[in-house]
Amino acid sequence: WNAENKITIPHFDINGRLVGIRARTLDPEEAELYGKYRPVQIGNVLYAHPLHFNLYGIYEHQNAIRVRRSAIIAEGEKSVLLDDGYYGKWSNTVACCGSHINKFQISLLTNILGANEITIAFDKEYQDWRTEEAREYRLKIEKMCKEYKGQAICYYIWDIDNFLGYKDSPFDKGKEIFDELYKKRIRVR
């Protein structure tokens, strides 16, 4: 896995310590074979880290999360970087680097940073929101939210207007589209 045609992404913990380095390939064939994201190896050192014990962007966005008392959880680092470009110092998005969140990650946001509102902004894993595929995906997200609703008010982004394409992140189509999706987010009761 060479370093060409990739974006290098350093991961920092909440205290600003480097905990790992990942790369996102820009080569579609390589992404299909090995996945878009992989740990970086420099010489004999592999800069991998357990993703479930961190949230990408938490160090950089912790002040906005504290002030706004809310956080948005996206799947990938690219979403955090896009959101940072949209909102600057007010960006409160972090990435779980996958499609699952856990107690440790929620605790970082709620117990450590004081977020009392969390919005799940995962990639669109359905073609049409009226399909069985979409219903199953929605149930998965709602179940995840319900697991942590005692710690924060939970919302999720759901695209019924087809602003996004299949597998798009809610951040991929620009700030205006994200703002519209965020405005229509769904609260989990």
Side-chain angles (χ1 to χ4, degrees):
W1 221 60
N2 63 36
E4 296 175 12
N5 209 18
K6 293 179 181 56
I7 298 168
T8 304
I9 307 164
H11 278 239
F12 299 96
D13 69 9
I14 196 167
N15 298 309
R17 294 179 296 229
L18 181 70
V19 293
I21 305 172
R22 292 184 3 128
R24 184 187 194 278
T25 184
L26 301 174
D27 180 348
E29 289 178 26
E30 192 173 335
E32 188 67 35
L33 284 172
Y34 306 108
K36 288 184 201 171
Y37 294 91
R38 307 223 349 155
V40 169
Q41 183 168 343
I42 302 171
N44 293 330
V45 179
L46 182 65
Y47 289 89
H49 67 291
L51 297 172
H52 57 277
F53 284 123
N54 199 39
L55 289 162
Y56 177 77
I58 195 161
Y59 176 68
E60 296 84 353
H61 294 166
Q62 64 181 295
N63 289 336
I65 293 168
R66 286 181 203 274
V67 170
R68 296 176 72 181
R69 298 187 51 86
S70 70
I72 300 168
I73 303 174
E75 287 189 35
E77 295 98 332
K78 181 181 72 163
S79 296
V80 175
L81 296 172
L82 286 169
D83 189 71
D84 193 71
Y86 301 158
Y87 303 104
K89 73 176 189 173
W90 295 109
S91 176
N92 64 338
T93 298
V94 294
C96 61
C97 301
S99 59
H100 297 286
I101 52 177
N102 63 51
K103 288 178 188 176
F104 181 84
Q105 293 166 326
I106 295 297
S107 180
L108 282 174
L109 297 171
T110 58
N111 296 338
I112 306 296
L113 298 181
N116 58 19
E117 184 180 289
I118 293 174
T119 300
I120 305 299
F122 283 0
D123 297 357
K124 184 177 177 181
E125 296 287 335
Y126 51 93
Q127 301 277 0
D128 181 333
W129 66 272
R130 295 167 288 228
T131 63
E132 181 61 25
E133 169 192 41
R135 190 182 79 73
E136 288 176 20
Y137 187 63
R138 186 174 183 166
L139 289 173
K140 173 188 166 184
I141 291 175
E142 286 180 354
K143 181 180 177 190
M144 212 179 317
C145 289
K146 285 178 183 176
E147 191 172 335
Y148 304 109
K149 75 175 188 175
Q151 293 166 273
I153 299 167
C154 291
Y155 296 86
Y156 63 94
I157 289 180
W158 192 252
D159 179 22
I160 62 168
D161 296 311
N162 284 324
F163 291 132
L164 307 174
Y166 183 60
K167 302 269 187 187
D168 278 349
S169 156
F171 302 89
D172 284 350
K173 301 294 186 193
K175 181 182 183 299
E176 292 76 23
I177 295 294
F178 177 77
D179 287 344
E180 191 64 28
L181 290 166
Y182 187 81
K183 209 177 354 180
K184 294 180 177 181
R185 66 200 169 129
I186 297 169
R187 182 175 177 172
V188 177
R189 304 250 176 224

